[in-house]
mmCIF file of all heavy atoms in Angstrom:
data_model
loop_
_atom_site.group_PDB
_atom_site.id
_atom_site.type_symbol
_atom_site.label_atom_id
_atom_site.label_comp_id
_atom_site.label_asym_id
_atom_site.label_seq_id
_atom_site.Cartn_x
_atom_site.Cartn_y
_atom_site.Cartn_z
ATOM 1 N N LYS E 957 12.319 3.024 50.451
ATOM 2 C CA LYS E 957 11.983 4.248 51.186
ATOM 3 C C LYS E 957 10.912 3.941 52.242
ATOM 4 O O LYS E 957 10.994 4.412 53.384
ATOM 5 C CB LYS E 957 11.497 5.329 50.225
ATOM 6 C CG LYS E 957 12.592 5.875 49.327
ATOM 7 C CD LYS E 957 12.083 6.976 48.394
ATOM 8 C CE LYS E 957 13.164 7.397 47.403
ATOM 9 N NZ LYS E 957 12.617 8.219 46.289
ATOM 10 N N ALA E 958 9.954 3.156 51.829
ATOM 11 C CA ALA E 958 8.883 2.779 52.773
ATOM 12 C C ALA E 958 9.472 2.061 53.979
ATOM 13 O O ALA E 958 9.147 2.391 55.118
ATOM 14 C CB ALA E 958 7.862 1.899 52.069
ATOM 15 N N LEU E 959 10.349 1.126 53.713
ATOM 16 C CA LEU E 959 10.941 0.373 54.815
ATOM 17 C C LEU E 959 11.739 1.295 55.730
ATOM 18 O O LEU E 959 11.732 1.143 56.956
ATOM 19 C CB LEU E 959 11.862 -0.738 54.257
ATOM 20 C CG LEU E 959 11.109 -1.849 53.549
ATOM 21 C CD1 LEU E 959 12.093 -2.780 52.827
ATOM 22 C CD2 LEU E 959 10.287 -2.655 54.576
ATOM 23 N N LYS E 960 12.415 2.239 55.107
ATOM 24 C CA LYS E 960 13.209 3.150 55.906
ATOM 25 C C LYS E 960 12.302 3.964 56.824
ATOM 26 O O LYS E 960 12.609 4.145 58.014
ATOM 27 C CB LYS E 960 13.988 4.092 54.974
ATOM 28 C CG LYS E 960 15.108 4.846 55.691
ATOM 29 C CD LYS E 960 16.071 5.480 54.689
ATOM 30 C CE LYS E 960 17.313 6.000 55.413
ATOM 31 N NZ LYS E 960 18.272 6.615 54.498
ATOM 32 N N GLN E 961 11.193 4.401 56.258
ATOM 33 C CA GLN E 961 10.271 5.182 57.082
ATOM 34 C C GLN E 961 9.687 4.334 58.224
ATOM 35 O O GLN E 961 9.429 4.844 59.303
ATOM 36 C CB GLN E 961 9.120 5.712 56.211
ATOM 37 C CG GLN E 961 9.585 6.830 55.279
ATOM 38 C CD GLN E 961 8.437 7.312 54.386
ATOM 39 O OE1 GLN E 961 7.261 7.126 54.683
ATOM 40 N NE2 GLN E 961 8.801 7.964 53.266
ATOM 41 N N LEU E 962 9.499 3.065 57.942
ATOM 42 C CA LEU E 962 8.954 2.178 58.975
ATOM 43 C C LEU E 962 10.038 1.723 59.935
ATOM 44 O O LEU E 962 9.743 1.060 60.942
ATOM 45 C CB LEU E 962 8.348 0.939 58.332
ATOM 46 C CG LEU E 962 7.060 1.114 57.526
ATOM 47 C CD1 LEU E 962 6.666 -0.215 56.900
ATOM 48 C CD2 LEU E 962 5.945 1.631 58.445
ATOM 49 N N ASN E 963 11.270 2.034 59.586
ATOM 50 C CA ASN E 963 12.367 1.563 60.386
ATOM 51 C C ASN E 963 12.445 0.043 60.443
ATOM 52 O O ASN E 963 12.877 -0.545 61.435
ATOM 53 C CB ASN E 963 12.233 2.090 61.814
ATOM 54 C CG ASN E 963 13.444 2.931 62.149
ATOM 55 O OD1 ASN E 963 14.558 2.561 61.742
ATOM 56 N ND2 ASN E 963 13.223 4.028 62.837
ATOM 57 N N LYS E 964 12.024 -0.561 59.370
ATOM 58 C CA LYS E 964 12.019 -2.019 59.303
ATOM 59 C C LYS E 964 13.332 -2.472 58.657
ATOM 60 O O LYS E 964 13.697 -2.031 57.587
ATOM 61 C CB LYS E 964 10.834 -2.481 58.459
ATOM 62 C CG LYS E 964 10.563 -3.973 58.516
ATOM 63 C CD LYS E 964 9.245 -4.318 57.810
ATOM 64 C CE LYS E 964 9.009 -5.823 57.790
ATOM 65 N NZ LYS E 964 8.122 -6.275 58.872
ATOM 66 N N GLN E 965 14.030 -3.323 59.342
ATOM 67 C CA GLN E 965 15.325 -3.773 58.859
ATOM 68 C C GLN E 965 15.199 -4.898 57.836
ATOM 69 O O GLN E 965 14.355 -5.799 57.986
ATOM 70 C CB GLN E 965 16.159 -4.309 60.033
ATOM 71 C CG GLN E 965 16.654 -3.219 60.972
ATOM 72 C CD GLN E 965 17.591 -2.253 60.286
ATOM 73 O OE1 GLN E 965 18.421 -2.666 59.458
ATOM 74 N NE2 GLN E 965 17.482 -0.959 60.594
ATOM 75 N N ILE E 966 16.039 -4.831 56.817
ATOM 76 C CA ILE E 966 16.145 -5.980 55.920
ATOM 77 C C ILE E 966 17.217 -6.881 56.503
ATOM 78 O O ILE E 966 18.262 -6.420 56.894
ATOM 79 C CB ILE E 966 16.545 -5.502 54.512
ATOM 80 C CG1 ILE E 966 15.415 -4.644 53.954
ATOM 81 C CG2 ILE E 966 16.823 -6.679 53.615
ATOM 82 C CD1 ILE E 966 15.740 -3.990 52.648
ATOM 83 N N GLY E 967 16.903 -8.137 56.600
ATOM 84 C CA GLY E 967 17.889 -9.048 57.196
ATOM 85 C C GLY E 967 17.375 -10.462 57.182
ATOM 86 O O GLY E 967 16.662 -10.852 56.258
#
Side-chain angles (χ1 to χ4, degrees):
Chain E
K957 290 181 186 167
L959 291 171
K960 195 166 190 179
Q961 288 178 20
L962 290 177
N963 241 322
K964 191 172 176 97
Q965 288 297 321
I966 296 173

